[in-house]
């Protein structure tokens, strides 16, 4: 008897519904040669084999880079990064060391290296570092394949319309598969997280993708029908007829709707009563820029800069930061880029030189964000100099995370002035007097907002943290996720307060937390008077559409009503009942 329908919930990283036959690929269990190297000459032979394998993998990556289809040109940097990672001390350095010191053959040395990387992955809670370690692990598997004569290294031909189910897939392999004529319908991986490079490539390919579906490979066979919902991260294995029919309908609606909203996303976000809402994109990796620009946003409203400090042994140099920031500023020009200074700590607890205090204490309330920068002045000065230098190339604004008092703003202003002065003395190009804004994410700042407004050029409300701190609910803890309520009356009143103060003091306010990306919450924010929303690129077409179909009058009336509710549940029920008829495709 065929097993019944089964639902697996994981992490959706690339939107869309896919329905198709599963193609389950597990890494072949190869018996790897295992021998010792009694004399030094054999050591040289094995390191030579390792070098040759590295050359083969490099050649393969370069070939993949050369053959990229136009929609993936912007992702070439990921392949370049992988080519560099092939020389990472954690990979070939470690494998080479094992060959020399432990006198074992190349395959076993790479295998031991993979075990070491897996050990590290189990220890780091940080998603970014995990993702980068996973990149190294995938390259290690590619090295083993090359050492074994590349028997297992290549992706097999994937039948058109099928859904690939794999433990993990490297960005290069995914690009290679994407280049083949036959288009697969979707991707499910057991490993990986929201910010992995594979997730970013999947988004660029607009391939419905769910990652982190633990052990899914053991629950189904190739040929089983599966449904994948990349928005909510759900996989339905062997759906019954009723489920299948429901999802086929949803898929048809979604296809026509997505085509339509993407087509119109270059149009300005004007409400029906002619109020312009500024829609900007949030980013942390350069790979996200093409989507931000293609979807017709007005620039980058939040450039998170933590990424370059994670997963490395040395701090990034001023030059390295400058080069990266310059590329971003130049690509986005003449539109603006709001760059946020380093926000280490909390869920982005780094390992390595930029460590933000002892890991076991409560990082969310610890030396996080601007506090960490002000206690690590050299690190902060380096970043500020790089930002000031990049500012000469376009429209750049600086924003500080986790500000809790005015002194933090003042001290930073002094550091910026000093950095400007030193650049001026050196004759290094930069812009003076860059607008310096502050994030509003610590609840007490709402009550000193007038005073802050006198010294800050703009406010950006980080609703992710504001909700976490105001409701005392850890934003990443699934045990309390029910209590993480953006529509809690206390949160709505806080948002209204800051938007009102912004208007009264002529201080521009943007909302850049996830509330700006949800259709329901974005509607409420517009009703509360928000004029600037910044969100992940994928949300831009949908929110632009929502704005273009609404009137400010209607949203304000709805929000005024919502402000009288007493619980988040009441607020959500009211908003859903009013908006779901008006925007069925956006809210379902
Ligand atoms: C926020 O807190 O809402 C925010 C935008 O910053 P981050 O998610 O990076 O903490
Ligand atoms: Mg934040």
């Amino acid at each position: 008897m065929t097993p019944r329908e089964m639902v697996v919930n994981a992490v959706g990283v690339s939107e869309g519904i896919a329905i198709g036959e599963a193609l389950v690929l597990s890494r072949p269990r190869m018996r790897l040669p295992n021998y010792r190297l009694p004399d030094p000459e054999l050591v040289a032979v094995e390191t030579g084999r390792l070098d040759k394998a590295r050359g083969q993998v490099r050649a393969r990556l370069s070939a993949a880079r050369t053959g990229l289809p136009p929609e993936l040109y912007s992702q070439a940097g990921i392949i370049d990064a992988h080519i560099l990672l092939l020389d990472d001390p954690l990979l070939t350095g470690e494998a080479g060391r094992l060959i020399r010191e432990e006198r074992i053959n190349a395959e076993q040395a790479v295998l031991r290296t993979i075990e070491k990387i897996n050990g590290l992955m189990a220890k780091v809670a940080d998603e970014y570092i995990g993702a980068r370690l996973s990149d190294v692990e995938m390259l290690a598997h590619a090295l083993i394949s090359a050492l074994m004569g590349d028997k297992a290294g290549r992706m097999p031909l994937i039948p058109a319309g099928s859904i690939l189910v794999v433990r993990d897939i490297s960005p290069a392999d995914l690009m290679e598969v994407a280049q083949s004529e036959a288009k697969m319908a979707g991707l499910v991986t057991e490993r990986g997280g929201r910010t992995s490079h594979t997730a970013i490539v999947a988004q660029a390919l607009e391939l419905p993708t769910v990652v982190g579906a633990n052990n899914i490979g053991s629950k189904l066979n190739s040929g089983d029908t599966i449904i994948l919902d990349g928005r909510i991260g759900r996989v339905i294995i062997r759906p019954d007829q009723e489920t299948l029919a429901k999802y086929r309908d949803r898929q048809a609606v979604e296809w026509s709707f997505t085509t339509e909203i993407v087509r119109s996303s270059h149009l300005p976000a004007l409400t029906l009563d002619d109020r312009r809402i500024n829609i900007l994109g949030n980013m942390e990796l350069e790979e996200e820029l093409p989507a931000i620009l293609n979807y017709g946003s007005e620039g980058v409203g939040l450039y998170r800069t933590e990424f370059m400090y994670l997963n490395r042994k040395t701090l990034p140099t001023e030059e390295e930061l400058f080069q990266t920031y310059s590329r971003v500023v130049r690509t986005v020009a003449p539109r603006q880029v709001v760059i946020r200074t380093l926000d280490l700590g909390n869920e982005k607890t780094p390992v390595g030189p930029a460590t933000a205090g002892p890991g076991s204490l409560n990082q969310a309330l610890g030396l996080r964000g601007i506090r960490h920068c002000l206690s690590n002045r050299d690190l902060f000065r380096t970043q500020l100099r790089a930002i000031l230098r990049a500012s000469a190339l376009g429209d750049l604004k600086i924003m500080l995370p986790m500000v809790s008092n005015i002194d933090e703003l003042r001290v930073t202003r002094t550091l910026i002035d000093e950095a400007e002065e030193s650049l001026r003395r050196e004759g290094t190009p930069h812009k003076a007097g860059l607008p310096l804004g502050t994030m509003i994410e610590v609840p007490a700042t709402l009550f000193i907002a007038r005073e802050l407004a006198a010294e800050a050029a703009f406010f950006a409300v980080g609703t992710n943290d504001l909700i976490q701190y105001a409701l005392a609910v850890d934003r990443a803890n699934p045990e309390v996720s029910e209590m993480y309520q953006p529509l809690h009356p206390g949160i709505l009143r806080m948002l209204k307060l800051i938007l009102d103060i912004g208007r009264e003091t002529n201080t521009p306010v943007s909302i850049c937390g996830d509330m700006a990306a949800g259709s329901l919450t974005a509607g409420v924010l517009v009703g509360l008077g928000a004029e600037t929303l910044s969100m992940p690129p994928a949300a831009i077409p949908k929110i632009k559409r929502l704005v273009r179909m609404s009137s400010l009058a209607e949203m304000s009336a709805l929000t005024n009503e919502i402000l009288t509710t007493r619980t988040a549940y009441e607020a959500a029920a009211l908003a859903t009942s009013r908006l779901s008829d008006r925007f069925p495709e956006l809210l379902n």
Side-chain angles (χ1 to χ4, degrees):
M1 207 176 74
T2 333
R4 279 192 47 77
E5 170 176 312
M6 181 193 261
V7 176
V8 175
N9 288 313
V11 184
V13 292
S14 179
E15 286 199 13
I17 292 172
I19 304 174
E21 280 188 8
L23 175 67
V24 186
L25 290 185
S26 46
R27 259 193 198 116
R29 293 200 180 284
M30 284 181 291
R31 235 189 193 310
L32 297 183
N34 186 357
Y35 47 86
R36 301 235 139 225
L37 314 171
D39 63 67
E41 271 168 40
L42 287 175
V43 169
V45 172
E46 288 302 309
T47 46
R49 287 184 64 227
L50 182 65
D51 284 343
K52 187 167 164 228
R54 191 163 43 149
Q56 283 167 352
V57 176
R58 184 178 292 119
R60 202 180 135 213
L61 288 168
S62 304
R65 193 187 192 292
T66 317
L68 282 184
E71 72 268 28
L72 286 176
Y73 286 165
S74 59
Q75 313 297 317
I78 294 182
I79 300 194
D80 293 338
H82 275 208
I83 292 175
L84 287 177
L85 274 182
L86 270 176
D87 298 325
D88 196 286
L90 194 61
L91 181 59
T92 25
E94 175 67 6
R97 186 190 69 76
L98 287 167
I99 296 174
R100 283 188 307 276
E101 292 176 15
E102 308 276 323
R103 300 280 178 104
I104 53 178
N105 61 306
E107 289 87 345
Q108 291 301 323
V110 179
L111 189 65
R112 292 252 303 260
T113 306
I114 291 176
E115 284 160 9
K116 184 170 171 189
I117 298 168
N118 280 330
L120 286 173
M121 280 163 86
K123 272 193 234 137
V124 292
D126 186 281
E127 205 182 305
Y128 296 90
I129 300 176
R132 301 298 81 86
L133 285 171
S134 147
D135 284 354
V136 180
E137 193 211 6
M138 285 188 273
L139 285 167
H141 283 285
L143 276 181
I144 290 197
S145 300
L147 282 164
M148 299 289 288
D150 230 357
K151 288 188 210 72
R154 304 257 157 196
M155 292 300 291
L157 213 58
I158 297 175
S162 54
I163 297 177
L164 184 61
V165 181
V166 280
R167 182 165 175 266
D168 211 344
I169 181 167
S170 73
D173 280 342
L174 183 54
M175 292 180 190
E176 198 171 287
V177 175
Q179 283 163 46
S180 68
E181 287 294 296
K183 285 266 174 268
M184 64 170 161
L187 171 70
V188 181
T189 69
E190 298 190 336
R191 306 272 291 263
R194 217 175 280 284
T195 48
S196 62
H197 274 143
T198 301
I200 292 166
V201 172
Q203 284 160 15
L205 289 168
E206 297 183 0
L207 179 72
T209 300
V210 171
V211 302
N214 248 333
N215 277 330
I216 195 166
S218 63
K219 296 176 184 135
L220 80 174
N221 296 309
S222 287
D224 282 351
T225 299
I226 57 174
I227 298 174
L228 174 165
D229 185 338
R231 185 169 64 85
I232 56 171
R234 180 168 298 161
V235 184
I236 305 173
I237 303 171
R238 295 175 292 272
D240 56 34
Q241 285 309 318
E242 203 183 318
T243 313
L244 205 53
K246 188 174 91 185
Y247 272 90
R248 287 222 165 95
D249 285 351
R250 282 181 50 182
Q251 191 184 41
V253 171
E254 194 186 273
W255 278 348
S256 60
F257 179 65
T258 309
T259 320
E260 162 74 30
I261 59 170
V262 169
R263 207 183 299 131
S264 59
S265 76
H266 65 280
L267 296 169
L270 266 188
T271 60
L272 295 171
D273 44 2
D274 269 350
R275 179 61 69 92
R276 171 105 185 206
I277 305 293
N278 303 307
I279 305 285
L280 297 128
N282 293 351
M283 64 169 282
E284 43 211 322
L285 300 173
E286 286 170 72
E287 289 86 5
E288 291 164 287
L289 279 177
I292 293 186
L293 299 178
N294 290 343
Y295 289 151
S297 86
E298 278 137 275
V300 172
L302 166 62
Y303 177 12
R304 295 182 168 102
T305 57
E306 294 74 56
F307 183 68
M308 289 182 72
Y309 292 78
L310 304 174
N311 188 24
R312 48 188 295 158
K313 291 205 168 68
T314 54
L315 289 169
T317 60
E318 178 185 316
E319 190 55 29
E320 218 178 311
L321 294 171
F322 166 65
Q323 292 298 342
T324 305
Y325 299 163
S326 304
R327 281 195 301 273
V328 172
V329 172
R330 259 199 244 113
T331 311
V332 180
R335 286 159 284 216
Q336 62 169 324
V337 174
V338 179
I339 185 166
R340 184 176 73 182
T341 57
L342 202 49
D343 184 12
L344 290 178
N346 202 25
E347 83 280 12
K348 286 180 210 123
T349 307
V351 290
T355 301
S360 59
L361 301 178
N362 187 344
Q363 283 282 341
L365 303 178
L367 204 55
R368 192 195 153 179
I370 187 65
R371 307 168 185 180
H372 171 255
C373 284
L374 291 177
S375 348
N376 291 272
R377 296 279 170 103
D378 285 344
L379 172 130
F380 197 24
R381 280 194 193 97
T382 304
Q383 186 182 31
L384 290 173
R385 277 178 58 98
I387 292 174
L388 291 176
R389 286 173 58 193
S391 72
L393 303 162
D395 179 0
L396 194 57
K397 301 183 168 74
I398 309 183
M399 171 159 88
L400 307 181
M402 286 298 298
V403 165
S404 59
N405 61 61
I406 293 182
D407 285 335
E408 287 160 338
L409 199 63
R410 289 184 180 155
V411 176
T412 305
R413 183 85 260 169
T414 313
L415 293 175
I416 292 176
D417 291 346
E418 283 169 15
E420 266 175 30
E421 177 57 22
S422 69
L423 289 168
R424 201 185 49 74
R425 260 186 277 121
E426 293 163 18
T428 311
H430 67 284
K431 222 182 249 168
L434 282 197
L436 175 66
T438 166
M439 289 202 66
I440 300 287
E441 29 188 17
V442 175
T445 51
L446 287 154
F447 303 97
I448 54 164
R450 279 175 219 285
E451 292 82 349
L452 275 172
E455 302 187 33
F458 59 92
F459 292 148
V461 185
T463 53
N464 304 341
D465 277 313
L466 184 65
I467 298 170
Q468 147 162 290
Y469 294 122
L471 298 181
V473 173
D474 182 343
R475 65 193 255 190
N477 182 347
E479 282 180 77
V480 285
S481 60
E482 278 279 301
M483 300 169 83
Y484 187 90
Q485 298 172 330
L487 297 180
H488 185 292
I491 300 297
L492 294 180
R493 288 171 209 181
M494 285 183 155
L495 292 169
K496 181 165 178 348
L497 177 66
I498 191 70
L499 288 162
D500 288 348
I501 295 178
R503 232 182 340 269
E504 283 163 30
T505 57
N506 260 331
T507 311
V509 182
S510 79
I511 314 280
C512 62
D514 286 350
M515 266 184 93
S519 302
L520 201 96
T521 45
V524 173
L525 289 169
V526 170
L528 284 170
E531 288 172 1
T532 302
L533 304 176
S534 190
M535 63 201 69
I540 295 173
K542 184 179 69 177
I543 300 300
K544 276 195 146 183
R545 166 68 156 223
L546 176 93
V547 170
R548 291 171 52 76
M549 286 171 67
S550 329
S551 73
L552 189 62
E554 163 195 32
M555 288 299 164
S556 311
L558 170 64
T559 305
N560 283 338
E561 230 183 309
I562 290 176
L563 282 169
T564 65
T565 57
R566 290 169 181 231
T567 69
Y569 297 108
E570 278 174 41
L574 181 64
T576 312
S577 74
R578 294 290 154 76
L579 296 179
S580 60
D581 284 351
R582 293 267 289 108
F583 311 104
E585 307 94 336
L586 289 168
L587 293 178
N588 289 330

